[in-house]
Amino acid sequence: VLLEFWRTWCGPCRRQVAHLNQLHERYEADGLVTVAVSNESVDLLRATAGELGIAYATASTEGDAAEGLYGVRSVP
């Protein structure tokens, strides 16, 4: 499982979508699960995923709970 903690407004996060799409496409058949995690609204994530062509799953979390669980202090 590859968890990508990101925000829709984050320039470096947006730029790495192409690379993550490549990883997802190359290794999904081998069992890799890629998930982009953000605390932003589901509607914003859907719109941005469509705009950027995100080919992997996105997940919206409440507050910063997920980031805290994994020790994430900033994005990207």
Side-chain angles (χ1 to χ4, degrees), residues 51-69:
E51 172 191 336
L52 298 176
I54 293 176
Y56 44 89
T58 61
S60 178
T61 64
E62 294 267 337
D64 296 327
E67 284 88 347
L69 181 66

Side-chain angles (χ1 to χ4, degrees), residues 11 37 50:
V37 180

